[in-house]
């Protein structure tokens, strides 16, 4: 592991502990060259998951890209980083738990919307407007009606 300060390749682990979600191990290290401390995270390497885009092309699943979309939808909203992380972790767990190595971008978008509608309605509409590519006010109103229908189902 390279030291982020001096780029020396030798360090010593001084503390290891599991993260709160149990999905990775946090390691505190000290560089044997400059003596500075830094933190690394060890996670399980997952198999490759391919996303089938609307145009039929395929891309490798990019967790950071999905998180950027969620963050953008939740911008200036009362949604915590922990809520966004939890949403993303839940979706990732479901995606990697499937038997298939390919998933459509539509499936991923619907998974985000299913969770986002219960977290923040404005963030839901923002994400839906990009994901569903609203072209006019009519499309926007249809989505609002769909959201209202979802809310009435969960209230029952």
């Amino acid at each position: 592991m390279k030291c982020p300060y001096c780029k020396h390749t030798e360090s010593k682990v001084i503390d290891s502990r599991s993260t709160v979600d149990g999905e990775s191990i946090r390691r505190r290290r000290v560089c044997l060259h400059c003596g500075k401390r830094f933190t690394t995270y060890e996670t399980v390497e997952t198999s490759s998951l391919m996303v089938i885009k609307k145009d039929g092309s395929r891309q490798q699943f990019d967790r950071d890209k999905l998180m950027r979309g969620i963050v953008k939808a939740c911008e200036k909203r009362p949604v915590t980083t922990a809520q966004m992380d939890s949403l993303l972790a839940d979706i990732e767990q479901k995606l990697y738990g499937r038997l298939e190595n390919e998933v459509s971008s539509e499936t991923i978008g619907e998974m985000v919307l299913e969770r986002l509608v219960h977290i923040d309605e404005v963030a839901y509409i923002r994400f839906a407007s990009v994901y569903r590519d609203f072209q006019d006010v009519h499309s926007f109103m249809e989505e609002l009606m769909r959201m209202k229908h979802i809310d009435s189902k969960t209230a029952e």
Side-chain angles (χ1 to χ4, degrees):
M1 183 64 56
K2 276 188 182 177
C3 171
Y5 304 103
C6 72
K7 307 298 183 214
H8 190 69
T9 57
E10 293 183 41
S11 64
K12 178 180 167 185
V13 175
I14 55 175
D15 183 43
S16 290
R17 50 181 85 183
S18 224
T19 57
V20 175
D21 62 5
E23 297 292 320
S24 59
I25 296 175
R26 176 186 176 271
R27 299 198 192 279
R28 273 309 270 162
R29 296 176 178 268
V30 63
C31 176
L32 296 177
H33 181 72
C34 69
K36 294 203 181 207
R37 294 177 181 215
F38 58 99
T39 302
T40 60
Y41 291 89
E42 180 181 316
T43 59
V44 174
E45 189 172 355
T46 55
S47 61
S48 179
L49 179 67
M50 297 303 287
V51 178
I52 305 168
K53 307 297 276 180
K54 289 178 185 175
D55 66 1
S57 66
R58 286 170 168 66
Q59 294 183 349
Q60 191 163 2
F61 175 73
D62 184 350
R63 179 187 204 281
D64 294 333
K65 182 177 179 181
L66 184 56
M67 183 55 129
R68 283 191 303 273
I70 293 167
V71 167
K72 190 79 167 161
C74 297
E75 198 171 61
K76 297 182 181 177
R77 299 296 307 154
V79 179
T80 66
T81 303
Q83 286 174 302
M84 289 184 273
D85 286 339
S86 175
L87 183 152
L88 186 57
D90 185 38
I91 289 171
E92 272 189 305
Q93 180 183 10
K94 292 216 178 350
L95 289 174
Y96 285 111
R98 298 164 52 124
L99 297 177
E100 303 115 29
N101 289 341
E102 294 184 334
V103 64
S104 69
S105 59
E106 288 88 5
T107 300
I108 295 171
E110 290 300 327
M111 292 171 85
V112 172
L113 289 174
E114 284 172 13
R115 288 153 184 80
L116 211 47
V117 72
H118 302 293
I119 295 172
D120 187 88
E121 292 177 342
V122 172
Y124 170 90
I125 289 296
R126 286 177 178 170
F127 192 88
S129 71
V130 173
Y131 163 68
R132 295 212 169 104
D133 193 25
F134 291 170
Q135 297 297 315
D136 54 25
V137 174
H138 180 70
S139 303
F140 192 86
M141 292 304 292
E142 284 178 354
E143 192 62 40
L144 288 172
M145 295 307 288
R146 186 176 309 159
M147 187 176 72
K148 187 175 181 181
H149 180 70
I150 291 170
D151 279 348
S152 65
K153 274 184 154 178
T154 54
E156 293 174 355

